[in-house]
Amino acid sequence: MGYTVRIESAEVVITSPGRNFVTLRIVTEDGVTGLGDATLNGRELAVASYLRDHVVPLLLDRDASRIEDTWQYLYRGAYWRRGPVTMAAIAAVDTALWDIKAKAAGMPLYQLLGGASRSGALAYGHASGRDVPELLDSIRAHLAQGYRAIRVQTGIPGLASVYGVASSSAGGGERYDYEPARRGSGSRVLPAEESWDTRAYLRHVPTVFEAVRQEFGPELPLLHDGHHRMTPIQAARLGKALEPYDLFWLEDATPGEDQAALRLIRQHTTTPLAIGEVFNHVHDYTTLLSERLIDYVRSAVTHTGGVTAMRKLLDLAAVYGIKSGIHGPTDISPVGMAAALHLDLAIHNFGIQEYMPHTADTLEVFRSSFRFQDGLLHPSDTPGLGVELDTEAAGRFPYQPAYLPVNRLADGTVHDW
């Protein structure tokens, strides 16, 4: 019957080397260890409890080689389906089992997924600045680091801090785009509150891209994230205004829950659209894919059911000529990033990979073998995912409550972040 092996133990590890991560560590009876990322930024303990209290007891003594069956067992057997907490927990189990299977086979995961379709995954970096001169300096720095594609975010005149801008006053000394979840002091931690002005944003952003194109020319792929802050007609207006600057994509222009909103945007602009980092299931995409309302799928392996589910989602996207743009900020642990890179290398319809280097403390906890060189990422040829967890190092960084910011309009109304 081929390779079968019993799951002997499963442990949930919570660690915070600069930011919070949740990792599932599965060990088989023959000593093979698999890791899965279950991090849900700002709601980490909810996933940890789901795993520890409800999932781990179901895993013990199961056959670690039965990945598809285990996925369906956890998804269908719970009755309560979908949702970020459930899908992050299932993703951790699924990714850990793929890690085990690839290690048992003695090959990197991408080989089990069909082998490499490319030599590396094109990655984009995050350049930002409070004003245009600072932004241009940030782009130059990213190009010097080897990036071939750049996400452009900028401060907005009149707003003290803007989510995604590294030097924003909300950053507290560290890069605000790398760790937007703010850590508080004392016994009660509350989300930071920021002001937002959509009309000012819509006026300002086209002038920013005009300056960037004047400085760096037409060839550099440029991306921009709207962080769900626009209505459909506002997003359509921005997409139209940005057409002269040939964006690689406009991301998360509207709140992701309203798939029909993308129809209106698509009617008014040819700027490519990307969405999905807050999605967690293929059914979140069915309208977007079948009607070709987007150009790039932005889900993360960590939040969308793991390698098994993401592969199915991306295969469905390929039917409609839609490419991948897997979510990859630093609230995806190196385990989740490695899983994404193995998929990137194997799938046919790869588009681009988001990449933000993790901190030295994080890489002390997660011993990672993937590499970034000449603008491309490669997951390495180490058997499995190519990431190992140093549990002793993880124990030196205890969990700290941290929450993403809340945005308010001038009248005090809570707005999308």
Side-chain angles (χ1 to χ4, degrees), residues 156 196-205 234 237:
I156 308 299
W196 180 251
D197 185 336
T198 306
R199 293 183 69 230
Y201 165 79
L202 292 173
R203 290 193 301 268
H204 185 60
V205 169
Q234 289 169 340
R237 171 186 162 188

Side-chain angles (χ1 to χ4, degrees), residues 205-391:
V205 169
T207 68
V208 171
F209 277 89
E210 180 181 22
V212 171
R213 281 295 183 214
Q214 287 179 350
E215 180 70 19
F216 296 100
E219 297 300 324
L220 179 64
L222 299 176
L223 305 86
H224 180 67
D225 191 344
H227 294 301
H228 314 102
R229 286 168 163 163
M230 290 168 276
T231 65
I233 198 64
Q234 289 169 340
R237 171 186 162 188
L238 181 62
K240 190 71 173 177
L242 293 176
E243 285 179 10
Y245 311 113
D246 188 24
L247 267 64
F248 188 95
W249 76 37
L250 172 62
E251 175 187 349
D252 289 345
T254 57
E257 300 93 322
D258 184 3
Q259 296 191 24
L262 275 295
R263 293 193 186 109
L264 188 147
I265 302 171
R266 199 61 133 180
Q267 290 168 4
H268 291 280
T269 181
T270 58
T271 295
L273 302 173
I275 201 166
E277 69 180 64
V278 299
F279 293 173
N280 51 72
H281 198 276
V282 65
H283 289 303
D284 295 325
Y285 283 98
T286 51
T287 299
L288 303 180
L289 298 180
S290 63
E291 297 186 22
R292 294 180 171 87
L293 300 180
I294 60 173
D295 302 279
Y296 296 92
V297 167
R298 284 283 292 134
S299 284
V301 176
T302 298
H303 303 140
T304 318
V307 173
T308 295
M310 274 296 292
R311 180 61 186 263
K312 293 176 181 178
L313 168 59
L314 294 173
D315 284 345
L316 177 61
V319 171
Y320 298 99
I322 295 167
K323 296 185 177 182
S324 72
I326 295 178
H327 188 51
T330 51
D331 60 345
I332 303 297
S333 84
V335 176
M337 174 59 75
L341 295 181
H342 284 280
L343 275 170
D344 288 338
L345 209 63
I347 60 174
H348 173 70
N349 56 324
F350 171 76
I352 201 167
Q353 174 63 54
E354 181 176 18
Y355 177 56
M356 305 174 76
H358 289 94
T359 66
D361 285 344
T362 298
L363 295 177
E364 180 184 353
V365 173
F366 299 94
R367 307 288 185 176
S368 309
S369 59
F370 58 79
R371 61 185 184 272
F372 174 69
Q373 185 176 4
D374 297 329
L376 302 178
L377 285 159
H378 194 286
S380 90
D381 290 320
T382 303
L385 290 173
V387 180
E388 298 300 329
L389 177 68
D390 186 327
T391 54

Side-chain angles (χ1 to χ4, degrees), residues 8 21 37-38 75 99 109 117 125 137 143 147 150 157 160 222 251 277 279 293 298 310 328 371 383 398:
E8 185 170 89
F21 297 107
D37 182 21
Y75 180 76
D99 192 19
L109 175 57
S117 292
D137 286 343
L143 293 174
Y147 287 98
I150 306 289
L222 299 176
E251 175 187 349
E277 69 180 64
F279 293 173
L293 300 180
R298 284 283 292 134
M310 274 296 292
R371 61 185 184 272

